[in-house]
Protein backbone atom coordinates (compact mmCIF):
# COMPACT_ATOMS: atom_id res chain seq x y z
CA UNK A 1 0.00 0.00 0.00
CA UNK A 2 2.79 2.42 0.91
CA UNK A 3 4.64 1.71 -2.33
CA UNK A 4 1.55 2.39 -4.42
CA UNK A 5 0.54 5.47 -2.43
CA UNK A 6 3.17 7.62 -4.16
CA UNK A 7 0.44 8.34 -6.70
CA UNK A 8 -1.41 10.28 -4.01
CA UNK A 9 -0.56 13.69 -2.62
CA UNK A 10 -0.23 12.61 0.99
CA UNK A 11 -1.29 15.34 3.39
CA UNK A 12 0.15 15.67 6.89
CA UNK A 13 -2.96 14.28 8.57
CA UNK A 14 -3.03 11.19 6.37
CA UNK A 15 0.69 10.57 6.91
CA UNK A 16 0.18 10.68 10.65
CA UNK A 17 -2.81 8.35 10.38
CA UNK A 18 -0.68 5.82 8.45
CA UNK A 19 2.06 6.16 11.08
CA UNK A 20 -0.50 5.34 13.78
CA UNK A 21 -1.66 2.25 11.88
CA UNK A 22 1.93 1.16 11.29
CA UNK A 23 2.77 1.49 14.98
CA UNK A 24 -0.34 -0.48 15.94
CA UNK A 25 0.71 -3.28 13.59
CA UNK A 26 4.17 -3.40 15.12
CA UNK A 27 2.62 -3.64 18.60
CA UNK A 28 0.92 -6.86 17.53
CA UNK A 29 4.19 -8.46 16.42
CA UNK A 30 6.01 -10.65 18.93
CA UNK A 31 8.95 -8.95 20.62
CA UNK A 32 11.35 -11.62 19.36
CA UNK A 33 10.65 -10.65 15.75
CA UNK A 34 13.49 -8.55 14.38
CA UNK A 35 11.99 -5.60 12.54
CA UNK A 36 13.48 -2.18 11.95
CA UNK A 37 10.50 0.08 12.59
CA UNK A 38 12.31 3.15 11.34
CA UNK A 39 12.49 1.83 7.77
CA UNK A 40 8.71 1.75 7.54
CA UNK A 41 8.45 5.33 8.77
CA UNK A 42 11.26 6.49 6.50
CA UNK A 43 9.44 4.97 3.55
CA UNK A 44 6.26 6.74 4.59
CA UNK A 45 8.01 10.12 4.87
CA UNK A 46 9.73 9.57 1.53
CA UNK A 47 6.27 9.45 -0.02
CA UNK A 48 5.28 12.73 1.63
CA UNK A 49 7.92 15.15 0.41
CA UNK A 50 5.48 18.07 0.65
CA UNK A 51 5.57 18.18 4.47
CA UNK A 52 7.13 21.41 5.73
CA UNK A 53 9.27 21.89 8.83
CA UNK A 54 6.38 23.72 10.51
CA UNK A 55 4.04 20.79 9.87
CA UNK A 56 6.72 18.35 11.01
CA UNK A 57 7.07 20.22 14.31
CA UNK A 58 3.33 20.00 14.94
CA UNK A 59 3.30 16.34 13.94
CA UNK A 60 6.16 15.62 16.37
CA UNK A 61 4.14 17.02 19.28
CA UNK A 62 1.23 14.82 18.30
CA UNK A 63 3.50 11.81 17.79
CA UNK A 64 4.92 12.11 21.31
CA UNK A 65 1.43 12.29 22.81
CA UNK A 66 0.50 9.26 20.72
CA UNK A 67 3.48 7.17 21.88
CA UNK A 68 4.97 7.02 18.37
CA UNK A 69 8.55 6.98 19.57
CA UNK A 70 10.32 5.59 16.50
CA UNK A 71 8.28 7.82 14.22
CA UNK A 72 9.24 10.79 16.41
CA UNK A 73 12.92 9.95 15.96
CA UNK A 74 12.45 9.77 12.19
CA UNK A 75 10.83 13.21 12.19
CA UNK A 76 13.69 14.62 14.26
CA UNK A 77 16.28 13.12 11.91
CA UNK A 78 14.60 14.42 8.76
CA UNK A 79 13.25 17.88 9.57
CA UNK A 80 14.41 21.07 11.27
CA UNK A 81 12.77 20.69 14.66
CA UNK A 82 12.48 23.53 17.14
CA UNK A 83 12.63 21.50 20.34
CA UNK A 84 11.97 24.47 22.58
CA UNK A 85 8.91 25.80 20.74
CA UNK A 86 5.81 25.58 22.92
CA UNK A 87 2.29 24.80 21.76
CA UNK A 88 -0.42 27.44 21.79
CA UNK A 89 -2.59 25.82 24.45
CA UNK A 90 -0.19 25.09 27.31
CA UNK A 91 3.15 26.39 26.11
CA UNK A 92 4.54 22.85 26.24
CA UNK A 93 7.56 21.96 24.13
CA UNK A 94 8.73 18.43 23.35
CA UNK A 95 10.52 18.17 26.70
CA UNK A 96 7.35 19.03 28.63
CA UNK A 97 5.51 16.40 26.60
CA UNK A 98 8.12 13.72 27.26
CA UNK A 99 8.04 14.12 31.05
CA UNK A 100 4.24 14.24 31.25
CA UNK A 101 1.89 11.31 30.81
CA UNK A 102 -0.49 13.15 28.52
CA UNK A 103 -1.77 10.85 25.81
CA UNK A 104 -3.99 11.47 22.82
CA UNK A 105 -7.57 10.38 23.40
CA UNK A 106 -7.55 7.81 20.60
CA UNK A 107 -4.58 5.78 21.89
CA UNK A 108 -6.71 3.38 23.93
CA UNK A 109 -9.32 3.24 21.19
CA UNK A 110 -7.03 1.83 18.50
CA UNK A 111 -4.55 -0.10 20.63
CA UNK A 112 -5.62 -3.39 22.14
CA UNK A 113 -2.42 -4.18 24.01
CA UNK A 114 -1.08 -3.00 27.33
CA UNK A 115 1.12 -0.05 26.43
CA UNK A 116 1.80 1.25 29.94
CA UNK A 117 5.30 -0.22 30.19
CA UNK A 118 6.12 0.83 26.65
CA UNK A 119 4.87 4.33 27.44
CA UNK A 120 7.17 4.81 30.43
CA UNK A 121 10.24 3.38 28.73
CA UNK A 122 9.52 5.09 25.42
CA UNK A 123 9.13 8.58 26.82
CA UNK A 124 12.32 8.23 28.84
CA UNK A 125 14.27 6.93 25.84
CA UNK A 126 12.92 9.67 23.57
CA UNK A 127 13.74 12.34 26.18
CA UNK A 128 17.35 11.17 26.27
CA UNK A 129 17.46 11.00 22.48
CA UNK A 130 16.32 14.62 22.16
CA UNK A 131 18.69 15.81 24.91
CA UNK A 132 21.59 14.54 22.79
CA UNK A 133 20.29 16.67 19.92
CA UNK A 134 19.48 19.76 21.99
CA UNK A 135 22.09 19.92 24.74
CA UNK A 136 21.31 23.45 25.93
CA UNK A 137 18.11 22.65 27.79
CA UNK A 138 17.18 24.32 31.07
CA UNK A 139 15.00 21.69 32.73
CA UNK A 140 14.75 23.87 35.84
CA UNK A 141 13.84 27.20 34.25
CA UNK A 142 12.06 26.48 30.96
CA UNK A 143 8.42 26.91 31.97
CA UNK A 144 5.01 26.47 30.38
CA UNK A 145 2.17 29.02 30.52
CA UNK A 146 1.42 28.04 34.12
CA UNK A 147 5.02 28.55 35.18
CA UNK A 148 5.80 24.84 35.49
CA UNK A 149 9.31 23.80 34.54
CA UNK A 150 10.24 20.49 32.95
CA UNK A 151 11.35 19.23 36.37
CA UNK A 152 8.08 20.41 37.90
CA UNK A 153 6.01 18.49 35.35
CA UNK A 154 8.12 15.36 35.80
CA UNK A 155 7.44 15.51 39.54
CA UNK A 156 3.77 16.36 39.08
CA UNK A 157 3.20 13.36 36.81
CA UNK A 158 5.21 11.02 39.01
CA UNK A 159 7.92 10.36 36.42
CA UNK A 160 10.57 9.32 38.95
CA UNK A 161 13.07 8.10 36.36
CA UNK A 162 12.76 11.39 34.50
CA UNK A 163 13.42 13.35 37.70
CA UNK A 164 16.54 11.29 38.38
CA UNK A 165 17.75 11.85 34.83
CA UNK A 166 17.17 15.61 35.03
CA UNK A 167 19.18 15.71 38.26
CA UNK A 168 21.88 13.69 36.52
CA UNK A 169 22.09 16.34 33.79
CA UNK A 170 22.74 18.96 36.46
CA UNK A 171 25.02 16.97 38.75
CA UNK A 172 26.89 15.01 36.10
CA UNK A 173 26.17 11.68 37.82
CA UNK A 174 23.15 9.71 38.93
CA UNK A 175 21.81 10.18 42.43
CA UNK A 176 23.01 6.71 43.42
CA UNK A 177 26.59 7.96 42.93
CA UNK A 178 26.16 11.27 44.73
CA UNK A 179 28.58 10.18 47.46
CA UNK A 180 31.46 10.70 45.02
CA UNK A 181 30.79 14.43 44.64
CA UNK A 182 33.14 16.85 46.37
CA UNK A 183 33.01 20.44 47.56
CA UNK A 184 33.20 21.78 43.99
CA UNK A 185 29.78 20.26 43.30
CA UNK A 186 28.17 21.80 46.39
CA UNK A 187 26.48 24.69 44.50
CA UNK A 188 24.81 22.27 42.08
CA UNK A 189 23.76 19.90 44.85
CA UNK A 190 22.26 22.79 46.81
CA UNK A 191 20.54 24.09 43.68
CA UNK A 192 18.95 20.68 43.03
CA UNK A 193 17.84 20.37 46.64
CA UNK A 194 16.11 23.74 46.57
CA UNK A 195 14.47 23.02 43.22
CA UNK A 196 13.06 19.68 44.40
CA UNK A 197 11.95 21.12 47.73
CA UNK A 198 10.20 24.16 46.23
CA UNK A 199 8.29 22.04 43.71
CA UNK A 200 7.39 19.39 46.28
CA UNK A 201 5.52 21.86 48.48
CA UNK A 202 2.63 22.11 46.01
CA UNK A 203 2.60 18.44 45.02
CA UNK A 204 1.75 16.89 48.39
CA UNK A 205 1.66 13.10 47.93
CA UNK A 206 1.77 13.05 44.14
CA UNK A 207 5.48 12.37 44.14
CA UNK A 208 7.77 10.56 46.55
CA UNK A 209 10.40 13.27 46.84
CA UNK A 210 11.66 12.49 50.36
CA UNK A 211 14.24 9.95 49.21
CA UNK A 212 15.76 12.41 46.76
CA UNK A 213 15.78 15.26 49.27
CA UNK A 214 17.41 13.06 51.90
CA UNK A 215 20.13 11.93 49.49
CA UNK A 216 20.91 15.51 48.49
CA UNK A 217 20.82 16.81 52.07
CA UNK A 218 23.03 13.96 53.28
CA UNK A 219 25.72 14.78 50.74
CA UNK A 220 25.53 18.50 51.52
CA UNK A 221 26.03 17.74 55.21
CA UNK A 222 28.87 15.33 54.46
CA UNK A 223 30.75 17.92 52.42
CA UNK A 224 30.23 20.64 55.04
CA UNK A 225 31.42 18.40 57.87
CA UNK A 226 34.29 16.65 56.11
CA UNK A 227 35.91 19.56 54.26
CA UNK A 228 35.25 22.81 56.13
CA UNK A 229 38.64 24.26 55.11
CA UNK A 230 38.09 23.61 51.41
CA UNK A 231 34.61 25.07 51.68
CA UNK A 232 36.00 28.29 53.12
CA UNK A 233 38.50 28.50 50.26
CA UNK A 234 35.74 28.06 47.69
CA UNK A 235 33.60 30.75 49.34
CA UNK A 236 36.58 33.12 49.53
CA UNK A 237 37.31 32.61 45.84
CA UNK A 238 33.74 33.59 45.02
Amino acid sequence: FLIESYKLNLCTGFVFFLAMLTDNLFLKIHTWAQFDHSKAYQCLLDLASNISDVEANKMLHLAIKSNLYEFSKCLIARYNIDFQAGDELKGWNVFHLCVSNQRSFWIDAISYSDTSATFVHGHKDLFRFIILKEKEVDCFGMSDKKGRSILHLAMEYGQVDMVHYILKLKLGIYLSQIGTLTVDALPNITFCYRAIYEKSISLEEKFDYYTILCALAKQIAKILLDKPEELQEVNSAR
Side-chain angles (χ1 to χ4, degrees):
F1 174 78
L2 290 177
I3 294 175
E4 292 297 324
S5 64
Y6 74 92
K7 300 175 182 178
L8 303 175
N9 184 17
L10 299 183
C11 65
T12 305
F14 188 54
V15 169
F16 185 77
F17 174 72
L18 291 177
M20 289 284 292
L21 290 181
T22 302
D23 182 75
N24 195 36
L25 289 174
F26 279 127
L27 287 175
K28 298 181 183 300
I29 299 176
H30 291 291
T31 55
W32 50 260
Q34 298 297 320
F35 285 99
D36 187 353
H37 300 190
S38 62
K39 289 185 178 180
Y41 298 125
Q42 289 170 7
C43 176
L44 178 60
L45 293 175
D46 285 340
L47 301 174
S49 58
N50 59 325
I51 295 178
S52 66
D53 289 334
V54 174
E55 292 173 320
N57 273 272
K58 293 180 179 179
M59 190 155 48
L60 175 61
H61 280 229
L62 193 56
I64 295 174
K65 290 190 290 185
S66 302
N67 300 356
L68 302 182
Y69 308 117
E70 293 302 323
F71 183 60
S72 296
K73 292 179 181 179
C74 289
L75 289 172
I76 292 170
R78 182 176 292 253
Y79 299 98
N80 293 321
I81 301 297
D82 185 355
F83 297 109
Q84 301 190 25
D87 59 31
E88 296 180 359
L89 181 61
K90 297 182 178 180
W92 283 12
N93 57 34
V94 295
F95 300 104
H96 292 108
L97 290 170
C98 283
V99 300
S100 73
N101 62 0
Q102 180 174 343
R103 303 169 68 184
S104 296
F105 66 90
W106 57 73
I107 289 295
D108 295 327
I110 71 167
S111 179
Y112 301 99
S113 59
D114 182 9
T115 59
S116 56
T118 303
F119 167 78
V120 174
H121 174 74
H123 269 53
K124 182 180 178 181
D125 176 66
L126 184 60
F127 184 81
R128 291 178 174 179
F129 178 82
I130 300 175
I131 285 291
L132 294 176
K133 300 285 184 180
E134 185 83 354
K135 297 182 179 180
E136 298 298 325
V137 180
D138 184 3
C139 294
F140 297 84
M142 189 182 299
S143 301
D144 63 6
K145 291 186 177 181
K146 291 185 177 180
R148 297 173 297 181
S149 66
I150 298 170
L151 173 67
H152 191 159
L153 279 178
M155 293 176 62
E156 181 176 332
Y157 284 98
Q159 302 294 336
V160 181
D161 288 343
M162 293 288 198
V163 173
H164 279 265
Y165 187 69
I166 290 172
L167 293 178
K168 186 257 185 184
L169 294 175
K170 185 67 175 180
L171 298 174
I173 61 172
Y174 281 104
L175 201 60
S176 59
Q177 302 170 311
I178 194 172
T180 62
L181 295 180
T182 61
V183 65
D184 293 334
L186 186 59
N188 284 341
I189 302 174
T190 305
F191 177 86
C192 290
Y193 178 89
R194 289 175 176 171
I196 295 291
Y197 178 75
E198 290 173 359
K199 303 298 183 297
S200 66
I201 294 176
S202 61
L203 298 179
E204 298 178 352
E205 298 180 356
K206 293 181 180 179
F207 177 75
D208 183 14
Y209 50 83
Y210 294 108
T211 302
I212 293 178
L213 286 175
C214 288
L216 294 169
K218 181 179 179 180
Q219 189 60 20
I220 292 173
K222 178 182 177 183
I223 293 174
L224 293 176
L225 293 174
D226 290 351
K227 302 292 183 179
E229 301 84 3
E230 293 184 17
L231 181 61
Q232 290 179 358
E233 293 178 4
V234 172
N235 290 333
S236 299
R238 290 175 184 164

